[in-house]
Amino acid sequence: MPELPEIETIKNVIGPQIKGLTIEQITLSRPEIIAHPTADEFCAAVTGQTISFLSRRGKFLILHLKNDSRIILHLRMTGCLLAAPPDHPMEKHTHMILRLDNGTELRFSDTRRFGRFWLIQNGEEDTYSGIGKLDLEPFDQKFDAEYLQDKLGRRKKAIKECLLDQSVIVGIGNIYSDEILFRAKIRPARPANSLTEEEWRRLAAEIPKCLSYFIEKNRISPEEYLRGKGQDYRNTPFLLVYGHTGEPCRNCGAALVRTVIGGRSSVYCPACQK
DNA sequence: CCCTGCCTGCTG
DNA sequence: CAGCAGGCAGGG
């Protein structure tokens, strides 16, 4: 579910709450969420370790431990992370609880159970999580129109599908690909190899602009995050096209249209987006 | 390259 | 009740 701005929010909210705390005990009710190593090895290796900080890479969260190992997690569609006091009501579908040494519980819940955890030991190569296949962050100095065009300019597939390719540019999912293309005034179904120089420039400019705009719009206090169960902050009124099929375009008033591209639902303005 | 599977819950 | 949901890996 969450894309780069949401993962960034989780990092910003949860990170400071768990930094410096030691994992005293793990309750794992769904061992299949541990992708590597085995669930038993994961629990044994992580128990007693101290958390140094939380970081983000693409849509992955990385929990860095003081012994230089790291827990990597991907929330996929419905994964959710909460730092809660022990008496806080338990979310349905909570599959793992890390009890920390100040009593805080780091809880992972996931209705659809697509989310996964990996533990990468100090010195071990991460060939498991998929982080190795990622390329540029949208805020990387090297990310620009030339980079995008060089990577995607010869592809025949829809530009919308290309934007979802994490091996080119990370962090964009179905919602923000639609928002970005709307802002760049490009139709999602346009073959990537049909984009003009000017369109590549607009697209490359809108990607970091749009994502950082939503990171700002998602800013939330830990209390508010907990109250909204780590979900509600995303119900943003700031999305211009996603979820607005049939409504008037905010620029021109034309009715927004829904199509399916690469198996994903896509909303765009038939007048503004060429 | 397209298609499916992985899951549960919500909507029409 | 079918269809769909913000992700991704794996198979043909």
Side-chain angles (χ1 to χ4, degrees), chain A residues 27-30 33 78 80-82 84 88-98 105-111 113:
Chain A
T27 308
L28 178 61
S29 43
R30 285 279 185 179
I33 65 171
T78 52
C80 181
L81 215 49
L82 290 182
H88 191 83
M90 193 66 66
E91 276 313 292
K92 212 178 161 187
H93 305 293
T94 296
H95 307 313
M96 184 160 67
I97 302 167
L98 306 186
E105 293 183 347
L106 183 60
R107 300 177 183 173
F108 172 73
S109 63
D110 189 354
T111 335
R113 301 205 303 274

Side-chain angles (χ1 to χ4, degrees), chain A residues 42-261:
Chain A
F42 180 94
C43 294
V46 164
T47 304
Q49 295 305 319
T50 301
I51 298 164
S52 49
F53 65 100
L54 186 59
S55 71
R56 178 193 62 74
R57 174 76 171 102
K59 300 178 200 169
F60 291 85
L61 280 162
I62 307 170
L63 201 56
H64 300 261
L65 304 178
K66 285 243 166 81
N67 70 351
D68 285 326
S69 63
R70 57 199 190 275
I71 297 170
I72 297 177
L73 71 139
H74 198 302
L75 301 175
R76 298 285 165 97
M77 300 283 268
T78 52
C80 181
L81 215 49
L82 290 182
D87 58 351
H88 191 83
M90 193 66 66
E91 276 313 292
K92 212 178 161 187
H93 305 293
T94 296
H95 307 313
M96 184 160 67
I97 302 167
L98 306 186
R99 205 190 68 218
L100 307 177
D101 60 353
N102 72 346
T104 299
E105 293 183 347
L106 183 60
R107 300 177 183 173
F108 172 73
S109 63
D110 189 354
T111 335
R112 292 172 74 178
R113 301 205 303 274
F114 293 171
R116 286 295 178 268
F117 285 77
W118 298 263
L119 172 70
I120 306 299
Q121 298 282 10
N122 183 17
E124 183 182 14
E125 194 195 351
D126 178 11
T127 56
Y128 309 98
S129 71
I131 278 193
K133 296 178 192 160
L134 302 181
D135 207 322
L136 284 190
E137 288 285 335
F139 307 116
D140 195 295
Q141 291 274 329
K142 294 193 284 290
F143 177 73
D144 59 14
E146 199 178 25
Y147 172 83
L148 258 196
Q149 187 172 7
D150 180 52
K151 289 279 188 176
L152 303 175
R154 288 171 303 281
R155 296 193 188 181
K156 291 177 194 159
K157 69 156 80 162
I159 186 61
K160 148 113 179 189
E161 291 180 77
C162 295
L163 291 183
L164 300 175
D165 186 343
Q166 307 293 305
S167 71
V168 175
I169 172 83
V170 302
I172 302 173
N174 201 39
I175 292 183
Y176 295 113
S177 60
D178 280 6
E179 296 297 315
I180 288 163
L181 288 165
F182 174 73
R183 288 150 176 259
K185 301 188 189 299
I186 300 166
R187 286 203 190 198
R190 280 272 300 283
N193 66 5
S194 76
L195 267 63
T196 65
E197 299 270 343
E198 167 59 22
E199 287 172 328
W200 286 115
R201 277 196 294 277
R202 288 210 301 268
L203 190 54
E206 288 300 341
I207 288 171
K209 208 167 131 190
C210 178
L211 295 173
S212 48
Y213 171 82
F214 280 98
I215 290 172
E216 287 311 311
K217 290 299 181 193
N218 279 351
R219 282 207 190 276
I220 190 172
S221 70
E223 296 74 24
E224 224 181 323
Y225 178 90
L226 194 57
R227 236 179 295 129
K229 300 172 181 180
Q231 307 277 345
D232 294 355
Y233 72 95
R234 288 183 278 121
N235 296 338
T236 170
F238 304 105
L239 295 172
L240 299 178
V241 286
Y242 183 88
H244 294 289
T245 307
E247 295 175 25
C249 167
R250 301 276 287 269
N251 287 340
C252 75
L256 299 178
V257 170
R258 176 188 180 273
T259 54
V260 175
I261 297 164

Side-chain angles (χ1 to χ4, degrees), chain A residues 1-54:
Chain A
M1 67 168 75
E3 306 178 27
L4 187 148
E6 289 76 34
I7 303 299
E8 192 67 24
T9 302
I10 297 167
K11 182 196 82 178
N12 290 334
V13 169
I14 307 273
Q17 294 182 279
I18 60 173
K19 199 173 173 160
L21 301 179
T22 298
I23 300 162
E24 282 190 334
Q25 189 188 30
I26 304 182
T27 308
L28 178 61
S29 43
R30 285 279 185 179
E32 68 266 31
I33 65 171
I34 310 297
H36 170 83
T38 68
D40 286 346
E41 289 170 316
F42 180 94
C43 294
V46 164
T47 304
Q49 295 305 319
T50 301
I51 298 164
S52 49
F53 65 100
L54 186 59

